[in-house]
Amino acid sequence: MIETKNTLKVINMLRKYTDKKVFVKDIKELSNDPVFSGAASYLGATYNGPDSIIVYLNLSYQHTCEATFIHEILHIILDYEGFPNIIINEDVAKILPSQFARVLPKLQSFFSSTVDHPEIFKRMESDFDLDLSLYYEIQVQQKLNRFYKSLASDSKTNEQYYFFRQQDILIGLEYFFYPQNHKERILKVFRESYPDAYASCSSLYNKVKRVGFNTPKSSYKSAKIIKEHIIKYGERKSIGMFNKMWEALEIKLEV
């Protein structure tokens, strides 16, 4: 484990809820996982197992490993604090064609991250002595690369095209929670690349910012707004069965 004043602090926060051992692994180990192979390019990922917690770090970005470690442990802490989880409704999933059902774990991960990130970003900035400029810079570069790859390979079918725009709306929501100088760059490219999806995402941000993400209940309410908004976007674009994937993602709040 990385040991700094900040990482020890977040581990002490975690210890309020669990004594599980925490291990750090290279995120490249996920490259052979059929579900999470795409995560190998992320800054980090985490797995909360029955006996231990594994934090996967992108060791290619050594200077951001401290911030990424804290980010990933905060995901676990939010789970213990009772923040909502995104689960797959198997009754809905089983009626989907197999090629659709295979995509559900990735959408589940995207949705879960989007719901957690506003509160995680806030805590990273307020609770720790971190210089996050490089961390956000890499986030922006990765998101820009995502747009550039998308523009180069846009689907020709209406249904697939707007299904990917739904993902842009979901993932794009977190850009609005970046620091001003970072979010301006990524939002500019988003707006110029996909103006319709950007307008929808901006509208969604205005809805959820009034509710917030800082408590389990507010986060749950915002998650429901997000899901409803994305499904309605798909209905307007007539994407058919693709909308069933979003319907299969269930928002669960422990009470």
Side-chain angles (χ1 to χ4, degrees):
M1 191 188 82
I2 302 169
E3 289 196 8
T4 69
K5 177 180 67 175
N6 290 304
T7 61
L8 292 174
K9 181 176 181 179
V10 80
I11 290 297
N12 284 335
M13 293 174 174
L14 178 68
R15 291 294 171 241
K16 290 171 58 180
Y17 307 102
T18 180
D19 290 323
K20 290 179 187 177
K21 290 185 177 180
V22 178
F23 298 98
V24 172
K25 294 187 178 182
D26 191 330
I27 203 168
K28 289 179 182 178
E29 293 189 22
L30 295 177
S31 59
N32 295 322
D33 188 305
V35 175
F36 298 107
S37 58
S41 63
Y42 299 172
L43 287 180
T46 191
Y47 170 69
N48 189 2
D51 302 311
S52 64
I53 295 169
I54 301 174
V55 177
Y56 295 93
L57 297 178
N58 191 328
L59 302 181
S60 299
Y61 298 102
Q62 287 285 341
H63 295 301
T64 64
C65 283
E66 180 187 28
T68 303
F69 179 86
I70 291 165
H71 178 112
E72 298 304 328
I73 293 297
L74 286 172
H75 273 293
I76 301 294
I77 289 173
L78 290 188
D79 191 41
Y80 282 120
E81 289 181 359
F83 278 72
N85 290 308
I86 309 301
I87 64 172
I88 295 174
N89 184 317
E90 297 299 337
D91 290 334
V92 179
K94 68 184 179 183
I95 69 172
L96 293 171
S98 59
Q99 67 270 27
F100 284 33
R102 285 195 297 269
V103 178
L104 284 177
K106 185 172 288 188
L107 286 186
Q108 177 191 24
S109 177
F110 289 163
F111 196 177
S112 179
S113 292
T114 293
V115 174
D116 278 356
H117 280 168
E119 179 63 12
I120 286 176
F121 293 152
K122 186 187 77 174
R123 294 190 190 191
M124 288 175 72
E125 292 163 8
S126 64
D127 296 350
F128 301 92
D129 183 19
L130 293 167
D131 180 356
L132 293 170
S133 56
L134 181 58
Y135 173 82
Y136 281 115
E137 179 62 28
I138 293 172
Q139 294 276 16
V140 168
Q141 288 300 322
Q142 289 187 335
K143 301 304 190 294
L144 288 174
N145 289 338
R146 180 178 178 275
F147 276 124
Y148 298 145
K149 288 179 182 177
S150 176
L151 288 165
S153 60
D154 272 338
S155 171
K156 301 300 181 183
T157 69
N158 180 79
E159 292 86 358
Q160 287 179 316
Y161 177 86
Y162 285 112
F163 173 61
F164 285 115
R165 300 296 73 78
Q166 286 176 308
Q167 294 174 60
D168 289 335
I169 293 166
L170 175 68
I171 297 169
L173 186 61
E174 80 171 49
Y175 308 158
F176 287 88
F177 294 92
Y178 287 4
Q180 188 66 30
N181 58 323
H182 290 95
K183 74 179 179 182
E184 285 178 351
R185 291 166 53 211
I186 186 66
L187 290 177
K188 179 176 183 292
V189 173
F190 187 7
R191 182 171 59 249
E192 293 173 350
S193 300
Y194 300 110
D196 174 74
Y198 170 82
S200 180
C201 186
S202 180
S203 171
L204 176 57
Y205 169 68
N206 286 325
K207 293 177 185 177
V208 298
K209 75 176 182 180
R210 293 192 290 267
V211 179
F213 296 87
N214 62 316
T215 68
K217 286 186 178 180
S218 64
S219 186
Y220 175 74
K221 289 178 182 178
S222 288
K224 289 179 70 70
I225 292 170
I226 292 167
K227 179 180 174 180
E228 180 182 355
H229 182 97
I230 288 174
I231 289 174
K232 284 185 177 179
Y233 179 89
E235 289 172 349
R236 291 196 302 273
K237 303 302 182 182
S238 302
I239 68 169
M241 182 62 74
F242 283 94
N243 243 6
K244 286 291 182 184
M245 283 190 276
W246 299 102
E247 293 174 12
L249 299 180
E250 188 175 315
I251 306 157
K252 184 178 180 182
L253 182 68
E254 299 289 348
V255 293

